[in-house]
Amino acid sequence: MNTVIDTDVLVVGAGPIGLAAACLLADQGVRVVLVEKRGGTSDEPRAISITDESLRVLQQIGIMDRFADDVLLNTGARYYGRKGQLLAQVRPGSPRLGQPGKSQFDQPVLESLLLQATQERGQIDIRFNTEAFGITDGPDQVETVVINEAGKHVVRSKWVVACDGGRSPVRAQLGIPMEGSTQVQKWIVVDVINTPGEPEKFAEFHCNGKRPAVVVPGVKGRRRYEFMLLPGEDAKTVTAPEAITAMIAPFQQIVAGDIRRAAVYVAHQRVALNYRVGHVLLAGDAAHMMPPFAGQALNAGIRDVANLAWKVAAHVRGHGTDALVSTYQSERRPHAVDMVRLSQRIGKVVMNVNPVLTALRDGALAALGIVPAAKNWLTGMKFLKQPHFTDGCVIAPAPDVAKPGAGLVGRSLSQPKVQLDTGDAVALDTLLGSGWAVLRFRGGAAVDIRQLPGAEDHSSGGPVTVTDTEGAFAPLHGTGTVLIVRPDRYVAAAATGAGEQAALSALSSWVPGLGVQPAAAQQVSGSS
């Protein structure tokens, strides 16, 4: 007999994206069932680069302190030309989000920490060796058949979040097409251990026009090598230990026992046509696949679940509309498309083997050195566009809003250290809570922060006044600007003090009752 498991959200797939989704959903007060067809988390070091926005999410989940010990923080990249000459050295600009712009990590370590985090949350029911099959979507709930050693079960949920990878069975069952193509060139990825010495904080892209290669450093003796396969080479030949040691020999000497993993892959550059069908949402590789050259695949997935978790939770708890959940696609898909295109463009630079074109490329990159603006654009990695929502759960600012505040709408809020009246310095996110918040910029560097009541019931009471000692918001000091910040730390609206309530009202089409004081609080306020 089938057993029925009732929950708020079913998450399919316990990779890093599914595990992060489960934690974020649970922290918004919903019940989660997480199913994974494997027997545990992966021990394969797949993703290797992580951005400040992803680290900020890990900080929110509560694992950043433990994770940082196993990460090579604040890294950049060096690009070498066909003669081995240094073409460019790039590194993200000054960090805005409270974490280094780019770092190198080990995926098994991250998955282990995220698994611990899910196990610490009583609202998450994790079921390994459990595969999701048929999905039946109804007007108010989804029924998903799952099978494990105990037999067949039905998970009845309000939403399903599919984080089940590039070959997503959920996406296939729903018939959602992918737009894009598959990269022609094959690459071998090799992870090695026992690399001596301290790692340099730069990945190396060897655009030599013969056998392009990528070298990525790590901590604790870890290092990754990627080499483009040449015509006539096959997976069995190049993954043999003797072939691997020969390819790596120009960079370091290894023995067969130093090889942690070796695999041949073909990169895909595809984005799902729809991120939502009914009550089912796609996230991570299920929604988009991209070449590794920009290091954005895992980071795009983390952005996905940070965007959708609070929206789904709001709908489950009756605080958000169906239209709010629909903004997930309009906000996330355009940026995923941008990241796929960027990855393709970087790949074309790295993989070029035409002698004439590689010479032209090297000359063009060298010429950037005499054009300061172009050089700063490249070396500061400004080509890596940050998300900017113009369509979704955001409100266009009124004409009377100060320009610096208006420019923040649809963008991720900075996370500086701010000073409490006790003199202690704390990260801004610790004061924003897990729901909506309002920042009011009054005289000098003082900022009033209030967690909004009503919409998510996360309010912790009255406002807290802090000092922006780092000057992160200096253009807003003393302007009277009000920023309305979403649970995912994106700015939904900017207003003047007089326009604050109108902005909150405008957001009510997605989050009815946002900022409305409970009746009891209003009475207390009126009697004081």
Side-chain angles (χ1 to χ4, degrees):
M1 181 180 296
N2 293 347
T3 57
V4 176
I5 304 165
D6 281 303
T7 192
D8 294 323
V9 181
L10 170 66
V11 176
V12 182
I17 308 307
L19 291 165
C23 290
L24 293 169
L25 286 161
D27 290 347
Q28 288 287 330
V30 302
R31 298 170 300 153
V32 180
V33 170
L34 174 60
V35 299
E36 168 57 56
K37 66 180 180 180
R38 298 170 303 176
T41 55
S42 172
D43 61 356
E44 291 193 351
R46 293 178 177 173
I48 197 167
S49 292
I50 194 161
T51 66
D52 50 354
E53 192 167 359
S54 295
L55 293 178
R56 187 180 194 177
V57 173
L58 300 185
Q59 172 193 335
Q60 185 177 347
I61 290 172
I63 65 171
M64 188 57 211
D65 288 346
R66 288 172 283 170
F67 185 53
D69 293 336
D70 230 288
V71 179
L72 186 62
L73 295 167
N74 194 26
T75 60
R78 290 174 177 148
Y79 292 83
Y80 296 90
R82 61 195 182 99
K83 297 180 179 179
Q85 76 276 29
L86 179 65
L87 297 176
Q89 177 170 295
V90 304
R91 176 172 266 160
S94 300
R96 296 179 50 251
L97 307 182
Q99 301 292 346
K102 179 176 178 288
S103 302
Q104 312 304 149
F105 77 107
D106 190 61
Q107 183 166 327
V109 172
L110 175 59
E111 291 196 27
S112 175
L113 291 172
L114 284 170
L115 177 59
Q116 291 177 33
T118 60
Q119 292 168 336
E120 293 164 359
R121 288 160 166 81
Q123 288 166 297
I124 303 175
D125 177 2
I126 312 169
R127 300 180 179 229
F128 287 105
N129 295 308
T130 302
E131 193 163 358
F133 281 93
I135 295 177
T136 304
D137 196 4
D140 301 310
Q141 63 185 20
V142 192
E143 291 191 350
T144 306
V145 176
V146 300
I147 298 177
N148 57 23
E149 294 176 351
K152 185 184 294 185
H153 315 277
V154 173
V155 178
R156 186 182 293 149
S157 62
K158 296 180 176 67
W159 292 91
V160 173
V161 179
C163 307
D164 52 343
R167 297 179 180 177
S168 173
V170 172
R171 187 187 67 229
Q173 183 187 328
L174 296 175
I176 300 175
M178 300 282 281
E179 296 181 322
S181 60
T182 296
Q183 184 176 287
V184 174
Q185 297 87 350
K186 293 182 179 180
W187 283 68
I188 178 174
V189 56
V190 182
D191 286 285
V192 301
I193 56 176
N194 301 323
T195 301
E198 289 296 317
E200 277 204 88
K201 292 192 173 186
F202 288 92
E204 298 177 0
F205 290 79
H206 295 271
C207 317
N208 52 41
K210 297 176 182 177
R211 187 194 289 278
V214 181
V215 185
V216 185
V219 298
K220 300 181 179 179
R222 297 191 287 258
R223 184 177 288 179
R224 169 167 295 181
Y225 290 93
E226 298 188 38
F227 300 95
M228 194 173 84
L229 268 60
L230 303 179
E233 293 181 328
D234 60 70
K236 185 175 181 180
T237 301
V238 298
T239 53
E242 57 271 19
I244 292 172
T245 55
M247 281 190 286
I248 293 178
F251 303 96
Q252 74 175 96
Q253 299 297 313
I254 66 166
V255 297
D258 295 329
I259 301 171
R260 182 182 181 193
R261 168 182 176 252
V264 171
Y265 71 88
V266 178
H268 301 282
Q269 40 233 10
R270 302 177 184 273
V271 181
L273 190 62
N274 297 304
Y275 279 24
R276 174 186 178 184
V277 173
H279 294 90
V280 183
L281 304 170
L282 305 182
D285 286 355
H288 42 70
M289 294 179 283
M290 60 191 74
F293 301 108
Q296 289 296 300
L298 174 132
N299 297 291
I302 295 292
R303 289 189 184 105
D304 289 343
V305 295
N307 186 289
L308 70 83
W310 68 271
K311 296 175 180 178
V312 168
H315 187 268
V316 166
R317 300 180 65 210
H319 301 308
T321 63
D322 186 80
L324 175 67
V325 181
S326 290
T327 64
Y328 166 56
Q329 171 163 320
S330 62
E331 291 184 351
R332 283 297 309 135
R333 192 177 187 277
H335 190 258
V337 171
D338 285 345
M339 292 301 98
V340 169
R341 289 173 178 165
L342 175 64
S343 299
Q344 285 179 283
R345 287 196 292 268
I346 296 176
K348 289 179 180 179
V349 171
V350 173
M351 295 187 295
N352 200 310
V353 294
N354 182 293
V356 175
L357 294 179
T358 54
L360 290 172
R361 176 204 63 200
D362 292 1
L365 286 173
L368 289 179
I370 63 175
V371 184
K375 183 179 180 181
N376 291 339
W377 177 83
L378 177 65
T379 59
M381 294 182 69
K382 294 179 182 178
F383 53 83
L384 193 59
K385 291 170 57 178
Q386 299 305 308
H388 179 205
F389 307 144
T390 56
D391 179 22
C393 184
V394 292
I395 300 297
D400 59 348
V401 176
K403 188 174 180 180
L408 293 176
V409 175
R411 301 183 188 275
S412 187
L413 183 73
S414 292
Q415 189 197 186
K417 290 284 184 69
V418 293
Q419 189 177 72
L420 300 172
D421 57 9
T422 60
D424 296 324
V426 298
L428 178 63
D429 283 7
T430 62
L431 303 174
L432 297 181
S434 56
W436 288 76
V438 168
L439 279 67
R440 299 184 179 99
F441 294 86
R442 49 193 188 84
V447 186
D448 291 336
I449 302 172
R450 182 177 178 84
Q451 298 175 21
L452 284 180
E456 294 292 343
D457 299 327
H458 289 305
S459 178
S460 62
V464 175
T465 299
V466 300
T467 304
D468 177 23
T469 53
E470 295 183 357
F473 302 109
L476 295 175
H477 290 175
T479 63
T481 300
V482 176
L483 299 181
I484 302 173
V485 183
R486 309 183 332 182
D488 60 356
R489 315 309 194 203
Y490 276 77
V491 178
T496 62
E500 177 181 341
Q501 195 55 51
L504 290 169
S505 297
L507 290 166
S508 66
S509 60
W510 297 289
V511 190
L514 180 64
V516 174
Q517 293 278 2
Q522 289 180 356
Q523 291 172 4
V524 171
S525 176
S527 62
S528 60

